Amino acid sequence: MAFRAQSPLLSALRSAQLARASVRFASTGAKPLTLKERLAELIPTEIEKVKQIRAEHGKKSFGPVLVDQLYGGMRGLPALIWDGSVLDAEEGIRFRGKSIPECQELLPKAPGGSEPLPEGLFWLLLTGEIPTQEQVKELSREWAARAAVPEFVEEILDRCPPTLHPMSQFSLAVTALNHDSAFAKAYQEGISKKDYWQSTFEDSMDLIAKLPNIAGTIYRNVFGDGKLPPIDPEKDYSHNLATLLGFDNEAFVELLRLYITIHSDHEGGNVSAHTGKLVGSALSDPFLAFGASLNGLAGPLHGLANQEVLIWLRKMQAKIGENASDEAVKEYVWSTLKAGQVVPGYGHAVLRKTDPRYTAQREFALKHMGNDPLFKLVAQVYSVVPDILLEAGKAKNPWPNVDAHSGVLLSHYGLTQMQFYTVLFGVSRAFGVAAQLIWDRALGAPLERPKSYSSDAIHKMFKQ
């Protein structure tokens, strides 16, 4: 029997599969690899895979670019490589090919917990592999060991007036961490390009590790007594974050595990992800790149949307009361639309079905807080708004997105300060941005420099 030779790309993929299998089997015997050690194994194979993809498909077109896409915020324009996740309009987000329910099932959990640990999600984003419980535990310990924030950064936060928005404080602190950047130091010393990923990895690990202390300091300075408890090296990332914020409810810890996981990454075209990648392409270190991400996330069309949802829901509840009828909810929704306003939390630039992140939060609420009056209102809104939006012709996608639910969950456990919600979003988004920055440096991603056109140039181009 004759066999066809495999293409170089298939051979590379097969080699990667065998490498993953060897790690799985090795984990039962010798000491498991650390995340950095596993990355060092994966990078050469991935470099070869990218070379083969470019050799076989580099001259192929994704399709034409429409003038409307240029004027419409580049919606749907294929222009980026983003490895951590891909967003499908019909089925939603997949992290390295795995859906949110699959992540909930497969990723390691804390003892007695039911939600995935973000440590495992970060491992998945970087390697495409499900880590062992031991590997996740070691990652928790490493982040705890790296968690201390430089004294001068603490002083910056302590000197911020409480009237300065928490996201502005967050951006200041993250940008200031650049003072101790391993990448910036290595670059100044003339490190080889093939080793850029290693110092980027170190900075990314430090960035993620220090975010709970930064977020906790901001929260307690603005809304509390300013005193911060120590990090517990034997607790997971979400547990320490909850403690630093002043919450010791185990259900709230479980919520943070879910929240960070589902908010971590949403492919590369959203403002925070794209900004981090763009700034990183200039070889700005991860602290500078992610500081820029946070400034994008702070915008009302991105990370601040969950606040608007909660404000709208509370206004509705104040007007129609608790346990109102579906008819009363419908009337309020119509009054919002007739006033020229949007229903916050509904619609998405890409999705055309209910956001799986919304569904995951809804299932959490049904399990832990089914009798919460505000959650009941969220459920009512979910049952009536899509039909109203379709009837009104107000949305291509009349279904809820992630912001339609998250604020209600946080407020249920006592985190009612809406100005802080985007900080938690930022803590989460660091996972996806950092993972891509590491791979961009490992694969030698170039400086981003797309071509722009003036309106006059467009007019002349198509003038008959």
Side-chain angles (χ1 to χ4, degrees):
M1 181 183 298
F3 292 91
R4 288 188 300 173
Q6 285 187 332
S7 72
L9 176 57
L10 289 176
S11 297
L13 292 173
R14 179 60 179 160
S15 297
Q17 291 171 345
L18 291 173
R20 288 195 290 269
S22 68
V23 169
R24 288 195 294 272
F25 289 121
S27 65
T28 61
K31 182 180 177 181
L33 295 173
T34 66
L35 181 55
K36 191 174 185 181
E37 290 168 342
R38 182 59 185 139
L39 267 178
E41 289 187 345
L42 290 171
I43 285 171
T45 301
E46 194 68 17
I47 289 174
E48 290 305 312
K49 184 174 81 172
V50 170
K51 287 181 180 178
Q52 291 300 325
I53 290 173
R54 295 190 68 173
E56 294 184 25
H57 308 294
K59 304 305 180 184
K60 297 176 182 176
S61 174
F62 269 69
V65 176
L66 304 178
V67 173
D68 274 347
Q69 288 179 300
L70 302 185
Y71 283 103
M74 298 189 292
R75 292 289 175 91
L77 184 69
L80 297 170
I81 293 295
W82 192 270
D83 293 306
S85 64
V86 174
L87 178 60
D88 182 85
E90 298 297 324
E91 68 174 15
I93 194 69
R94 282 185 175 268
F95 304 112
R96 290 285 187 168
K98 291 178 171 53
S99 66
I100 289 175
E102 287 171 334
C103 288
Q104 289 176 296
E105 177 187 355
L106 297 172
L107 290 176
K109 302 169 182 61
S114 59
E115 299 298 342
L117 291 169
E119 291 90 329
L121 189 279
F122 186 64
W123 191 292
L124 174 65
L125 290 176
L126 272 179
T127 68
E129 301 166 356
I130 300 295
T132 65
Q133 197 77 36
E134 184 178 354
Q135 287 169 325
V136 164
K137 181 66 175 176
E138 185 56 37
L139 190 52
S140 295
R141 291 194 184 102
E142 183 169 0
W143 281 344
R146 293 171 179 256
V149 174
E151 186 175 345
F152 81 93
V153 176
E154 293 180 352
E155 291 176 358
I156 289 173
L157 291 175
D158 289 343
R159 290 179 65 85
C160 287
T163 52
L164 183 63
H165 196 284
M167 281 300 287
S168 299
Q169 298 188 41
F170 198 17
S171 175
L172 281 172
V174 167
T175 301
L177 291 175
N178 149 268
H179 180 272
D180 297 325
S181 167
F183 178 85
K185 180 180 179 182
Y187 185 82
Q188 289 298 320
E189 293 173 351
I191 190 174
S192 170
K193 289 183 178 180
K194 66 181 177 61
D195 294 324
Y196 280 176
W197 76 269
Q198 297 199 45
S199 50
T200 301
F201 178 89
E202 296 301 326
D203 279 353
S204 297
M205 291 286 281
D206 279 343
L207 169 67
I208 293 173
K210 298 179 191 306
L211 294 184
N213 263 329
I214 292 173
T217 298
I218 295 169
Y219 184 78
R220 288 177 180 258
N221 280 354
V222 177
F223 306 111
D225 57 11
K227 297 178 181 178
L228 212 62
I231 290 279
D232 186 338
E234 294 305 313
K235 297 295 186 181
D236 64 89
Y237 189 85
S238 304
H239 193 287
N240 273 317
L241 176 58
T243 302
L244 291 165
L245 295 175
F247 296 86
D248 57 6
N249 185 315
E250 186 58 34
F252 181 77
V253 174
E254 278 283 272
L255 172 59
L256 284 185
R257 291 167 182 150
L258 174 64
Y259 183 100
I260 294 173
T261 296
I262 66 176
H263 285 80
S264 63
D265 207 32
H266 214 231
E267 74 170 30
N270 65 77
V271 170
S272 55
H274 185 196
T275 302
K277 182 179 175 67
L278 172 64
V279 175
S281 79
L283 297 187
S284 299
D285 63 67
F287 305 110
L288 296 178
F290 187 61
S293 293
L294 290 174
N295 291 332
L297 191 66
L301 294 184
H302 193 10
L304 292 189
N306 51 14
Q307 294 180 214
E308 296 179 359
V309 171
L310 196 56
I311 291 170
W312 182 74
L313 288 171
R314 285 180 172 167
K315 286 182 178 178
M316 185 196 306
Q317 194 176 59
K319 184 173 180 65
I320 67 177
E322 292 186 6
N323 302 313
S325 67
D326 286 353
E327 197 58 38
V329 173
K330 289 179 182 179
E331 289 180 8
Y332 190 87
V333 173
W334 274 114
S335 70
T336 298
L337 295 175
K338 290 175 180 177
Q341 301 169 357
V342 299
V343 177
Y346 280 73
H348 192 273
V350 177
L351 284 168
R352 293 297 174 261
K353 292 290 179 68
T354 297
D355 192 334
R357 299 173 299 174
Y358 174 93
T359 303
Q361 292 180 104
R362 173 176 167 79
E363 290 172 353
F364 183 94
L366 288 169
K367 179 179 179 180
H368 294 281
M369 45 178 278
N371 292 321
D372 183 283
L374 209 51
F375 166 62
K376 290 182 177 180
L377 182 57
V378 167
Q380 277 185 292
V381 170
Y382 182 37
S383 70
V384 305
V385 162
D387 288 341
I388 292 175
L389 292 179
L390 287 173
E391 181 182 345
K394 292 293 185 181
K396 293 180 181 178
N397 170 25
W399 305 104
N401 59 50
V402 67
D403 297 312
H405 218 309
S406 55
V408 171
L409 293 172
L410 295 169
S411 65
H412 173 80
Y413 292 105
L415 207 168
T416 58
Q417 297 86 359
M418 290 182 289
Q419 307 99 304
F420 190 77
Y421 289 172
T422 314
V423 173
L424 291 181
F425 198 159
V427 172
S428 310
R429 188 48 55 90
F431 285 59
V433 173
Q436 189 60 44
L437 286 172
I438 293 167
W439 273 112
D440 280 353
R441 301 293 77 77
L443 298 176
L447 175 71
E448 288 188 15
R449 179 56 171 90
K451 172 63 178 169
S452 63
Y453 293 89
S454 68
S455 293
D456 284 344
I458 293 289
H459 179 71
K460 290 177 183 178
M461 193 181 304
F462 293 99
K463 188 175 181 181
Q464 297 296 329

